[in-house]
Structure formats: C-alpha cells, structure tokens
Amino acid sequence: MKVSIWSDVRCPFCYIGKKKFEDALEKFSNKDKVEIVWKSFQLDPSLKTDPHTSMLEYFVKAKGVSEEQALQMFSGATKMAEEAGISMNIQKGILANSFNAHRLIQFAKTRDLGNEIKEALFKVHFEEGKNIDDISVLSEVATSIGLDAEEVKQVLNSDAYAYEVKQDEMEARNIGVRGVPFFVFDDKYAISGAQPVEAFLQTLETVWEENKSELKSSEGDSCSSEGNCD
C-alpha cells in the first residue's frame, strides 16, 4: 500500500498529522507493507524569509490582531500537539520560506531518508525556532540524519530538485488539494487534515481489505504450485 502525503514544514497541523498517522501505523498489523511518499506543498510560495521576525510578530501584522489574540489562536494547535506528544512553540518560529527545505526533502527521498528529514525539519522549525531557509541550518539538519555533507552543500547551493517540488505542487492542484496535510491511500481514499488516530487506522484497514478483495476477485486460468493447470 502506498500513502502519499502532501505537507509543508511551516504547517503545525502537518507535524501533528504526521505524528497521528504514525501512531495509527504502529497499530496497523501490516505496517511493514506500507510505503510512505512525502510530497511537497508550500502554503505561501511568495513568503519572504525574515530571520528577525517571529511567527507571532508576523501573525499579529498579517491578521491585524493583538499579541494576546494571536497567542489564543496558536493555543488550539499547541494543545493538540501536546496531546499528540509534541512540544511545539509556534510563536517562536522564524518567518521563513520553505522552498529550500522542500528541495532538501526531495534530495533526502533519493537516499531513502524522506521521513527522517521531514521529522528533523519539523523539530527545528517548531521546537527549536530555527530558520528553515538558512543553508547552514538545513545542512546541519541533513548531516544529523546521515546525509553526505558535500552532496547536501551541492544541492542547496544550486537549483537542484526545484522541478520535483513544482511537480508535487502541480499534482496537488490537479487532484484538488486545497490545504495540508493531505493523505492519499493507494489513489483511492483521501484524508484531509490532522484527523484522529482512529480515522487513519480505519482507512489503512479499509484500503488493505479492499486490495485483498480485488486480488481474490481477479481469477483466471492458471497453474498451481503442485503442477495442476486449469
């Protein structure tokens, strides 16, 4: 079974959704048969990185609300994160465009480290308040999960994997993705948002059972392992 997940490193609910999906996967008896494919999605491609502006300051200015109101808006996601086992400091996050982070994720996928880099980037952005558009930060994160430092440097100092990021975003538009996280199970079922663990588990089981049924219903002339042909 393949699960494609459109997600942005800047999205708190994407981090929460990742954790809830993984909790569901741990309860799924066929978890070793599930392939996870991370897909790029930028919530705001035009966002300008400003390392001197926190997410709280940006939100106050962008939404035209007070700091108290902004913190109140953040509290819902923060509480949900705590319930999922994540320590999240949204207000301390640095205002940063996520395009380079997505390019790094695309590169990590070629080394079978897509899930590891995604988790590491979420942590540095939401828990450590680091700039995910800073080449040195991205390099540090990449090498911490085992990626080659020289290869990472070459990728980040070029436009490598920009095409792959754009392709994922185009695919998202084509299938009608309007927000993230967005999970697609074997191109059959979709879950939008950080749904409860039970919702993810039920979908995993439903798709698995349907795949089994489809395999059983497609029977034609064949030969058995005992040499009987009919």
Side-chain angles (χ1 to χ4, degrees), residues 186-225:
D186 266 357
D187 298 322
K188 294 180 179 180
Y189 288 85
I191 288 182
S192 179
Q195 297 286 341
V197 172
E198 293 72 22
F200 286 116
L201 182 57
Q202 182 178 3
T203 304
L204 285 165
E205 292 174 342
T206 296
V207 175
W208 183 264
E209 289 302 316
E210 287 190 2
N211 284 347
K212 283 172 59 179
S213 298
E214 288 176 6
L215 287 172
K216 290 179 180 178
S217 65
S218 180
E219 297 179 358
D221 295 341
S222 63
C223 293
S224 70
S225 58

Side-chain angles (χ1 to χ4, degrees), residues 35-38 102-118 141-156 160-161 164:
E35 175 192 4
I36 300 171
V37 180
W38 288 103
H102 281 294
R103 290 199 301 118
L104 180 58
I105 293 168
Q106 294 287 347
F107 168 62
K109 284 164 58 177
T110 68
R111 301 297 187 270
D112 294 324
L113 290 170
N115 200 63
E116 289 80 0
I117 195 67
K118 194 76 177 182
V141 173
T143 54
S144 74
I145 65 161
L147 287 169
D148 181 79
E150 189 57 38
E151 286 187 308
V152 170
K153 182 180 178 181
Q154 290 176 3
V155 168
L156 294 176
Y161 299 98
E164 286 80 357

Side-chain angles (χ1 to χ4, degrees), residues 7 19 25 29 32 60 69 73 80 93 100 115 118 123 141 145 153 156 162 165 174 177 180 214 218 222-223 228:
S7 165
K19 181 64 165 59
L25 199 58
S29 58
D32 58 324
V60 167
Q69 289 173 314
M73 292 176 182
M80 188 182 294
N100 284 325
N115 200 63
K118 194 76 177 182
K123 283 183 180 295
V141 173
I145 65 161
K153 182 180 178 181
L156 294 176
V165 173
N174 289 341
V177 178
V180 286
E214 288 176 6
S218 180
S222 63
C223 293
N228 299 317

Side-chain angles (χ1 to χ4, degrees), residues 7-230:
S7 165
D8 192 0
V9 182
R10 293 184 55 247
C11 167
F13 293 106
C14 290
Y15 193 7
I16 297 168
K18 178 180 185 295
K19 181 64 165 59
K20 289 191 172 187
F21 172 74
E22 289 171 343
D23 287 347
L25 199 58
E26 282 301 309
K27 298 180 179 181
F28 183 53
S29 58
N30 295 288
K31 64 179 181 180
D32 58 324
K33 302 291 197 308
V34 178
E35 175 192 4
I36 300 171
V37 180
W38 288 103
K39 298 280 192 175
S40 296
F41 188 101
Q42 286 185 281
L43 290 170
D44 186 358
S46 64
L47 183 73
K48 301 295 183 183
T49 297
D50 183 354
H52 304 296
T53 300
S54 70
M55 287 305 299
L56 178 59
E57 293 167 330
Y58 170 73
F59 203 79
V60 167
K61 184 177 180 180
K63 300 295 183 181
V65 298
S66 68
E67 283 195 10
E68 184 180 355
Q69 289 173 314
L71 288 171
Q72 201 168 33
M73 292 176 182
F74 289 158
S75 66
T78 301
K79 183 178 179 181
M80 188 182 294
E82 289 176 355
E83 292 172 350
I86 300 170
S87 176
M88 191 177 285
N89 297 303
I90 303 174
Q91 65 271 21
K92 293 182 179 179
I94 290 176
L95 185 66
N97 186 286
S98 59
F99 186 69
N100 284 325
H102 281 294
R103 290 199 301 118
L104 180 58
I105 293 168
Q106 294 287 347
F107 168 62
K109 284 164 58 177
T110 68
R111 301 297 187 270
D112 294 324
L113 290 170
N115 200 63
E116 289 80 0
I117 195 67
K118 194 76 177 182
E119 181 72 18
L121 287 168
F122 275 138
K123 283 183 180 295
V124 298
H125 181 58
F126 286 112
E127 298 184 27
E128 300 174 24
K130 293 184 179 180
N131 183 357
I132 56 168
D133 194 28
D134 185 290
I135 299 300
S136 62
V137 171
L138 292 176
S139 297
E140 182 181 337
V141 173
T143 54
S144 74
I145 65 161
L147 287 169
D148 181 79
E150 189 57 38
E151 286 187 308
V152 170
K153 182 180 178 181
Q154 290 176 3
V155 168
L156 294 176
N157 288 312
S158 70
D159 63 352
Y161 299 98
Y163 175 79
E164 286 80 357
V165 173
K166 296 297 184 182
Q167 282 294 105
D168 281 354
E169 293 176 333
M170 183 182 296
E171 185 181 355
R173 289 193 295 271
N174 289 341
I175 65 174
V177 178
R178 296 181 180 275
V180 286
F182 195 84
F183 303 76
V184 176
F185 299 74
D186 266 357
D187 298 322
K188 294 180 179 180
Y189 288 85
I191 288 182
S192 179
Q195 297 286 341
V197 172
E198 293 72 22
F200 286 116
L201 182 57
Q202 182 178 3
T203 304
L204 285 165
E205 292 174 342
T206 296
V207 175
W208 183 264
E209 289 302 316
E210 287 190 2
N211 284 347
K212 283 172 59 179
S213 298
E214 288 176 6
L215 287 172
K216 290 179 180 178
S217 65
S218 180
E219 297 179 358
D221 295 341
S222 63
C223 293
S224 70
S225 58
E226 290 78 22
N228 299 317
C229 297
D230 51 60

